Amino acid sequence: MQSSSVPAQLGETLAGTIERIVFHKEDSGFAVLRVRARGQRDLTTLVGFAPSLIEGEQITAVGNWHNDRSYGLQFKASSMVSTPPTGAAGIEKYLGSGLIKGIGPEMAKRIVKTLGPDALDIIDTNPEFLLTVKGIGKKRAEQIMSGWAEQKAIRDIMVFLHAHGVGTARAARIYKTYGQKAVKIMSENPYRLAKDIRGIGFRSADQIAQRLGFTKDDPRRLRAGVTFALSEATSDGHCGLPVDMLLDKAVELLEAPRDLLKVALTAEINDGDIVQDQIQGRGCVFTRRLHQAEDGIAEKLLALLDGSPPWKAIDPDKAIGWAQTKTGKDLSNSQKEALRLVLRSKVTIVTGGPGVGKTTLLDTTLKILAQRNITIALAAPTGRAAKRITEQTGLEAKTVHRLLEVQGSGFKRDETNPLECDLLVVDETSMLDVNLMLALVRALPKKAALLLVGDIDQLPSVGPGAVLGDLIGSKRIPVARLTEVFRQAASSRIITNAHRINQGEMPVPPAHGEASDFYIWPVENPEEGVTVIVNLVSQRIPGRFWFDPKREIQLLCPMQRGDLGARNLNIEIQKVINPPNENSIERFGWKFTVGDRIMQTVNDYDRDVFNGDLGIVDRIDHEEKKLFVKFDNVVEYPFDELDVLTAAYATTIHKSQGSEYPVVVIPMATQHYMMLARNLLYTGVTRGKQLVIVVGQKKAISMAVRNDKQNRRWTRLQEILENT
């Protein structure tokens, strides 16, 4: 626990008991408290900063009185220090606050009644006396003791972090990683945090280091900074980066001399964390993992290409005739050519936009091969995409993660335990990054064929690499391009406008009063756009088209920031369709409420939930300090791990890849100019199944349609395939 001493500062001293925590922002420590202060008849409002606060604690603050125009008389503290309470009533409130798992208000009463006013000291020094409390057995006593010890350690860490200018919401995770050595490790080399602790990056570690007296040219800082600059590049989709570009980024980030950064980079290369290589003759550096991933993908694919399909030769004309009779669907010329290519190739790519018959081709191919008793595995990067394939083909499809059978932070399926299939079909291949692609080809049996289906004109993967583009660009893999839009699909404005956008033409809205599945709602500015979108989602779309705003309407934004960004729109939409209440829990800048639509933002192999999975908040347990989310199954999250979840009424277009929604609303504003690109708008529009509404400024839509320049991703896969 914190010391009760308060640093000598100018100002008055206020001491008392925390009766109620009105507000406490965990990442900054800012708090508004109602305190029963000594010498004050009424409760006092205390405002200040503290890393951790619990109702019932004693608090001592130094500061000054201030008469706020809106909130009345307050004590504004320049420093606040809290200590455990001493009286029976205070201890009871303290223990019952949810501080320790296993102790709720009722159990807190029993503990204080049995152990008396020395309950906290007894738990600390003679915890075996907990067994004398009615309702506490050996297992529960151990749980309480463990929770008490962890809270003490966490509190020390929180105090340390807060003292060095860092938010404290990651304290539990730091403790779980480092245990009792946490403060020692952070003091000796705070840059370890950036590598070891999810959620704490280089910048946070750098803040601690600077407050601890680390200089800007400390070798530990420079090495960590160079690695961080490279990892930032991988977050933008690169597998590596030219040396000069990396050093430019590092100089800007670290404000350190370039020659010292060269030395730091050399040290990282010598340690093997960073690998040197070339892309088109230009010296580049890579993280070791991504360098090995591209090598591994190329090696496995080239080995597959050397073989023959696992089925005997099939007469394509006879097969096409049989399939058309069987399905009652006539194939287009490009579909027939694609089918011929698939039937004679061991590795094939099928690409094309919406409405060109990729699904029909896939269904036909599978029906033909099923007649040859070929064992088929179907997969897609997301659960929604896998479900769609299942519905379209009648065959079970799995997410890539579930197909490969997650084990720890890896997969059970690999070269030593390959998949049991003759043909692996992967849909939405544009979403595959190099890590996931490597895992797939490693798990593919040598005898098996591989069919990759995807739209090359969509956004590339969120993760590093440009797998689909590199494979097609290498010209080593047979590629079938479907281009003919089917008549039925051509009647949809969603599909026709998607193709217009892809060809650099402005989308065309319906005539006034005409029923359509695609609309453009012009607005003059972002503020008007917010009002229009909130009204559309909460009133107009449900009222006219009968879609459920909580389940069926998805906002897809070019980026997170701005009035028309995903963050702000999530807040505004939640206010009207699922407003927070007394049961809500606020963590990491979001109020989680039962019924909220949320998204998992990282792969969690332990929970079997993955980046991009959508769920609904099912239950909030304040006593156990857990939130329960319904995905395919109900998954539980401790309150201190809710940073892996984000609101999902609105999300970015990048995050929507591989998913389809009944209704899509796309805000387009010039404030998003950095992200406005043709493939971004095209990807967003093609996510909508039944209704798409673009709300935005005409200039922003035009900017997106005209911008066909895709930021280059620094990858080696195409070059390796071309030159091997």
Side-chain angles (χ1 to χ4, degrees):
M1 293 295 168
Q2 295 173 330
S3 165
S4 60
S5 62
V6 178
Q9 298 181 30
L10 294 175
E12 300 179 52
T13 299
L14 181 83
T17 304
I18 300 174
E19 289 291 320
R20 185 160 64 92
I21 299 172
V22 179
F23 178 81
H24 187 218
K25 193 170 178 61
E26 291 196 1
D27 54 356
S28 67
F30 177 73
V32 179
L33 312 175
R34 295 287 281 167
V35 174
R36 188 164 299 284
R38 291 194 287 272
Q40 301 289 327
R41 186 179 63 180
D42 299 323
L43 291 179
T44 298
T45 299
L46 174 61
V47 178
F49 291 83
S52 177
L53 294 163
I54 299 165
E55 291 180 358
E57 282 184 313
Q58 303 295 314
I59 192 157
T60 305
V62 172
N64 294 284
W65 292 97
H66 172 71
N67 201 348
D68 186 274
R69 185 176 298 176
S70 300
Y71 300 105
L73 190 64
Q74 299 177 336
F75 190 85
K76 285 201 163 185
S78 56
S79 68
M80 298 195 301
V81 178
S82 58
T83 56
T86 52
I91 291 171
E92 184 179 306
K93 187 168 189 177
Y94 179 74
L95 287 174
S97 66
L99 168 73
I100 302 169
K101 187 177 177 182
I103 301 181
E106 190 59 40
M107 182 57 69
K109 283 182 183 179
R110 293 187 211 160
I111 290 172
V112 174
K113 184 177 180 181
T114 304
L115 303 182
D118 295 327
L120 297 182
D121 290 334
I122 291 171
I123 294 172
D124 205 19
T125 57
N126 299 102
E128 64 274 9
F129 281 98
L130 283 168
L131 295 171
T132 64
V133 178
K134 184 180 178 182
I136 295 182
K138 186 176 179 181
K139 186 175 180 180
R140 194 164 194 179
E142 288 174 353
Q143 183 184 42
I144 292 170
M145 288 154 55
S146 173
W148 179 257
E150 185 171 329
Q151 281 299 322
K152 288 180 68 178
I154 289 172
R155 197 177 180 92
D156 288 342
I157 294 167
M158 291 171 81
V159 171
F160 178 85
L161 286 171
H162 186 71
H164 293 90
V166 177
T168 57
R170 307 292 188 273
R173 195 167 293 132
I174 293 171
Y175 174 74
K176 288 175 184 175
T177 303
Y178 296 141
Q180 300 294 337
K181 296 179 181 178
V183 174
K184 181 175 183 292
I185 289 171
M186 288 187 287
S187 300
E188 291 176 351
N189 186 4
Y191 296 104
R192 281 188 56 179
L193 292 171
K195 285 187 177 181
D196 299 343
I197 310 296
R198 178 176 53 80
I200 293 187
F202 172 80
R203 291 186 176 90
S204 296
D206 201 29
Q207 284 182 358
I208 296 177
Q210 289 182 34
R211 288 173 178 262
L212 287 169
F214 281 63
T215 60
K216 285 195 171 184
D217 59 357
D218 187 294
R220 288 167 290 187
R221 178 177 187 266
L222 300 184
R223 290 185 62 171
V226 165
T227 300
F228 173 69
L230 185 56
S231 70
E232 287 267 277
T234 64
S235 298
D236 292 333
H238 304 293
C239 290
L241 213 59
V243 172
D244 56 336
M245 288 178 63
L246 176 64
L247 290 174
D248 287 344
K249 283 180 173 287
V251 167
E252 182 180 355
L253 169 72
L254 301 170
E255 298 176 346
R258 195 179 187 90
D259 58 341
L260 291 181
L261 290 168
K262 286 183 180 179
V263 173
L265 176 58
T266 300
E268 290 292 283
I269 292 169
N270 290 339
D271 277 1
D273 294 332
I274 292 177
V275 178
Q276 282 183 300
D277 208 322
Q278 291 188 337
I279 298 177
Q280 297 177 349
R282 190 169 176 180
C284 296
V285 287
F286 306 78
T287 64
R288 176 166 292 280
R289 182 180 181 187
L290 294 180
H291 189 267
Q292 292 175 339
E294 290 194 297
D295 281 340
I297 293 168
E299 179 186 346
K300 293 290 183 183
L301 286 177
L302 291 170
L304 281 173
L305 285 167
D306 277 344
S308 301
W311 50 82
K312 292 180 180 179
I314 297 173
D315 183 327
D317 293 325
K318 287 183 179 179
I320 289 169
W322 175 86
Q324 289 184 148
T325 301
K326 187 79 173 175
T327 63
K329 295 179 181 178
D330 290 331
L331 300 182
S332 68
N333 290 331
S334 62
Q335 284 177 316
K336 291 175 182 177
E337 286 305 309
L339 183 56
R340 289 187 176 96
L341 186 66
V342 172
L343 293 178
R344 69 172 181 262
S345 305
K346 194 170 184 189
V347 182
T348 321
I349 296 171
V350 174
T351 187
V356 297
K358 294 193 297 294
T359 301
T360 299
L361 173 64
L362 178 58
D363 189 35
T364 303
T365 302
L366 298 181
K367 280 183 167 56
I368 291 170
L369 292 177
Q371 294 299 305
R372 298 297 180 100
N373 295 318
I374 296 298
T375 305
I376 299 166
L378 296 174
T382 67
R384 283 173 173 260
K387 185 177 180 182
R388 188 171 68 248
I389 303 172
T390 299
E391 291 169 350
Q392 291 167 340
T393 66
L395 300 175
E396 182 188 11
K398 298 180 180 179
T399 64
V400 173
H401 289 89
R402 291 189 172 91
L403 178 76
L404 297 177
E405 298 178 31
V406 171
Q407 179 174 264
S409 59
F411 301 103
K412 291 181 183 177
R413 296 290 184 173
D414 57 16
E415 296 97 336
T416 62
N417 182 31
L419 296 167
E420 297 171 2
C421 65
D422 301 308
L423 171 66
L424 171 61
V425 179
V426 184
D427 197 14
E428 298 287 356
T429 308
S430 62
M431 293 185 65
L432 292 179
D433 62 27
V434 292
N435 292 316
L436 206 50
M437 185 64 183
L438 176 64
L440 273 171
V441 294
R442 286 182 61 200
L444 196 62
K446 292 180 181 179
K447 65 171 184 175
L450 176 63
L451 173 57
L452 303 174
V453 182
D455 186 346
I456 188 60
D457 295 314
Q458 285 191 27
L459 290 167
S461 59
V462 175
V467 172
L468 184 59
D470 282 350
L471 296 184
I472 293 174
S474 75
K475 297 183 172 56
R476 292 295 297 272
I477 314 291
V479 178
R481 295 178 184 271
L482 301 181
T483 56
E484 301 166 60
V485 178
F486 279 78
R487 187 179 304 165
Q488 185 177 357
S491 66
S492 163
R493 280 191 183 268
I494 294 176
I495 290 175
T496 56
N497 278 322
H499 284 280
R500 287 183 64 85
I501 291 166
N502 201 28
Q503 293 160 10
E505 301 173 9
M506 286 288 285
V508 177
H512 182 71
E514 178 188 348
S516 178
D517 59 0
F518 182 97
Y519 296 89
I520 297 176
W521 193 303
V523 294
E524 294 297 321
N525 53 62
E527 293 78 13
E528 181 189 354
V530 172
T531 303
V532 167
I533 286 172
V534 170
N535 181 257
L536 279 170
V537 172
S538 62
Q539 301 293 328
R540 294 183 71 95
I541 295 174
R544 181 174 175 182
F545 298 100
W546 300 97
F547 289 108
D548 180 356
K550 287 187 181 180
R551 302 290 186 272
E552 297 177 305
I553 304 174
Q554 183 64 52
L555 288 171
L556 298 181
C557 308
M559 59 196 302
Q560 289 282 353
R561 297 189 301 274
D563 292 337
L564 287 174
R567 286 196 193 105
N568 184 57
L569 288 174
N570 270 315
I571 293 169
E572 296 300 324
I573 294 298
Q574 188 198 40
K575 284 179 187 176
V576 295
I577 69 172
N578 197 43
N581 53 52
E582 65 279 356
N583 190 48
S584 301
I585 177 71
E586 183 172 5
R587 288 293 187 277
F588 306 101
W590 176 255
K591 292 179 180 177
F592 293 91
T593 303
V594 171
D596 271 342
R597 188 193 314 162
I598 56 87
M599 178 184 286
Q600 175 82 13
T601 60
V602 298
N603 289 335
D604 190 327
Y605 297 95
D606 294 330
R607 292 189 175 96
D608 196 28
V609 184
F610 303 100
N611 190 359
D613 284 356
L614 290 173
I616 300 293
V617 177
D618 187 63
R619 181 164 61 92
I620 299 173
D621 189 324
H622 289 271
E623 185 166 319
E624 289 291 317
K625 306 188 89 171
K626 289 182 179 179
L627 179 139
F628 297 82
V629 179
K630 183 170 181 54
F631 295 100
D632 289 337
N633 300 308
V634 175
V635 179
E636 64 178 55
Y637 295 82
F639 285 174
D640 60 8
E641 294 183 18
L642 294 180
D643 58 328
V644 300
L645 301 177
T646 187
Y649 298 110
T651 188
T652 63
I653 295 173
H654 275 89
K655 283 284 190 182
S656 73
Q657 287 176 266
S659 297
E660 286 186 347
Y661 312 92
V663 181
V664 163
V665 179
I666 305 173
M668 297 293 287
T670 54
Q671 66 178 202
H672 298 147
Y673 70 94
M674 291 180 63
M675 296 296 295
L676 296 180
R678 186 181 299 174
N679 61 351
L680 184 92
L681 180 56
Y682 171 78
T683 301
V685 169
T686 56
R687 300 307 89 201
K689 290 175 64 178
Q690 296 169 258
L691 179 64
V692 171
I693 302 176
V694 179
V695 178
Q697 297 161 294
K698 184 177 179 181
K699 183 179 179 181
I701 299 170
S702 177
M703 287 169 64
V705 171
R706 291 198 313 268
N707 182 14
D708 192 31
K709 294 179 181 177
Q710 297 185 28
N711 292 329
R712 175 178 181 174
R713 289 194 169 190
W714 289 92
T715 66
R716 296 166 51 247
L717 182 56
Q718 178 175 330
E719 195 171 346
I720 301 169
L721 289 168
E722 287 173 339
N723 298 329
T724 304

